[in-house]
Amino acid sequence: MAIGTFARRSGVSVKRLRSYAASGLLAPAAVDADSGYRYYRPDQLLEAQTIDTLRRAGVSLAEIGHFLRAPSTEQLARWAAQATRRAAQSQDALSCVGRLLHLDEGTRAARIEKGATMTSLKTAGRTERGPARESNQDAYLERERLLVIADGMGGPPGGHVASSMAVAICDAAILGRSIDELCAGVRAANRAIWDRACSEPGLAGMGTTICAAALLGEGQLALVHVGDSRAYLFRSPSLVRLTDDHTVTAELIRNGELTPGDARRHPHHGVLTRALGVAPNVEVEVSSSALTPGDRILLCTDGVTNELSDDQIAGVLGGIEDLAQAASGLVDLAIASGGGDDATAAVAEVFT
């Protein structure tokens, strides 16, 4: 049956069906090569409903994949116990909000001084096609506690397909509980991109970088990245790079075989040593940082970092108060500097 009919009969939206297919959980039974229409078998209805119900219960995509391969009542019981604990924690949090709303400013100031505040992110982003590009192969996503950027490769349409898949799958995989969710989402994206590139000749060779940052708990930033899209922390007046590039020249610099000044002229400048979609498995780099109110986080593609110095980036992040204008300022400055590549910047500010 066509995807629209399948969606109505299963109660699962077309958008969610596509995201489950992209993550490798529920592949269509057939895809029309000319139109791209997806078709499902009636016996896939139960599987679709099971996946969607578990997702609504807060189970991650990676956990669902393991469960479908070996379903058990013991695992359901463990999830039920976790749900009970989360419900109790939510009740406590809601009670806390009630108390906070009745606090006077003096008491609130005292709590801030003791560090008993909730940390959140304000976010903004901007992407622009490079003058030398036929289409924009970058993708980004901004959420209240999540930033993701990806720089596709393989030329149109593959680069855009790969970067969009990576961003969407990470978004679907992350519930904000642990850094393991970020890792699982990136690995799921890698496998989905690899499988699709292998199955569709027109997308052969596609891949993408990825950099994802999630706010976990009280002021803890979790970072996962593959490739040369970067993350920075701006704590006025200092700018600190949080990620290391996975490129040939970056490895030569780390090994003392090349200076940063010579890297741009190296014949292998920009050649990646890791990327999503180029193999069935990928090595993911993970790190974390402690944040304080007022910090700014920047995720950007190499279309920005190849054109702008650290001083230029710090000048924009420290000199423009509005986040959307700061993100746009970085992208516009990179494009104006003569770079032909797509440029993308996603910015977040920590507040309480």
Side-chain angles (χ1 to χ4, degrees), residues 8-323:
R8 288 192 296 272
R9 290 187 58 181
S10 65
V12 182
S13 72
V14 170
K15 181 179 179 180
R16 294 205 301 274
L17 287 172
R18 286 175 175 155
S19 79
Y20 298 152
S23 64
L25 285 180
L26 185 68
V31 179
D32 188 295
D34 294 326
S35 65
Y37 289 165
R38 303 170 183 217
Y39 297 91
Y40 292 80
R41 299 186 310 272
D43 61 8
Q44 291 180 290
L45 287 168
L46 178 60
E47 187 176 5
Q49 292 166 338
T50 300
I51 293 169
D52 202 56
T53 303
L54 287 172
R55 195 72 187 97
R56 287 188 284 110
V59 181
S60 71
L61 293 175
E63 291 174 308
I64 293 173
H66 290 303
F67 179 77
L68 292 177
R69 289 190 289 273
S72 69
T73 54
E74 291 82 3
Q75 181 60 68
L76 287 176
R78 285 194 289 271
W79 283 332
Q82 291 171 3
T84 300
R85 288 194 296 271
R86 288 198 300 271
Q89 292 168 355
S90 295
Q91 289 291 341
D92 290 342
L94 291 171
S95 298
C96 179
V97 169
R99 293 193 298 272
L100 286 171
L101 290 176
H102 292 90
L103 290 176
D104 60 31
E105 288 303 308
T107 307
R108 176 173 170 77
R111 287 177 62 81
I112 291 175
E113 192 171 319
K114 293 178 182 178
T117 57
M118 295 185 66
T119 305
S120 300
L121 296 178
K122 298 175 184 176
T123 61
R126 164 91 183 281
T127 186
E128 188 71 30
R129 178 179 65 85
R133 301 291 188 181
E134 296 179 33
S135 61
N136 191 343
Q137 299 188 71
D138 288 357
Y140 78 95
L141 175 141
E142 41 159 321
R143 296 282 188 257
E144 184 179 350
R145 300 173 73 85
L146 174 68
L147 289 179
V148 186
I149 61 166
D151 183 353
M153 62 185 190
H160 177 68
V161 171
S163 62
S164 297
M165 286 178 65
V167 167
I169 293 172
C170 280
D171 184 30
I174 295 168
L175 300 173
R177 296 186 304 205
S178 73
I179 199 168
D180 293 337
E181 290 176 351
L182 273 172
C183 293
V186 169
R187 292 192 178 100
N190 176 77
R191 186 65 196 221
I193 295 167
W194 165 260
D195 288 343
R196 187 165 177 185
C198 290
S199 64
E200 298 185 34
L203 299 178
M206 73 175 180
T208 184
T209 69
I210 194 162
C211 187
L215 184 63
L216 306 176
E218 283 297 308
Q220 193 70 17
L221 185 77
L223 271 174
V224 174
H225 85 285
V226 177
D228 62 355
S229 293
R230 295 180 182 175
Y232 291 86
L233 169 65
F234 178 74
R235 182 174 293 162
S236 185
S238 301
L239 181 74
V240 178
R241 201 166 107 192
L242 301 178
T243 55
D244 291 322
D245 294 346
H246 299 142
T247 64
V248 171
T249 52
E251 288 193 4
L252 291 173
I253 292 171
R254 287 192 287 271
N255 293 335
E257 302 174 43
L258 188 69
T259 66
D262 292 333
R264 288 297 300 271
R265 297 186 295 273
H266 195 277
H268 291 154
H269 174 71
V271 176
L272 297 173
T273 56
R274 296 187 212 173
L276 300 190
V278 299
N281 298 300
V282 68
E283 184 180 356
V284 179
E285 189 150 338
V286 181
S287 61
S288 62
S289 299
L291 301 176
T292 60
D295 285 350
R296 285 189 166 184
I297 308 301
L298 167 66
L299 270 55
C300 55
T301 58
D302 66 343
V304 172
T305 55
N306 281 342
E307 305 305 323
L308 304 185
S309 67
D310 285 1
D311 287 342
Q312 287 175 299
I313 293 173
V316 172
L317 292 177
I320 301 179
E321 183 175 352
D322 182 81
L323 288 184

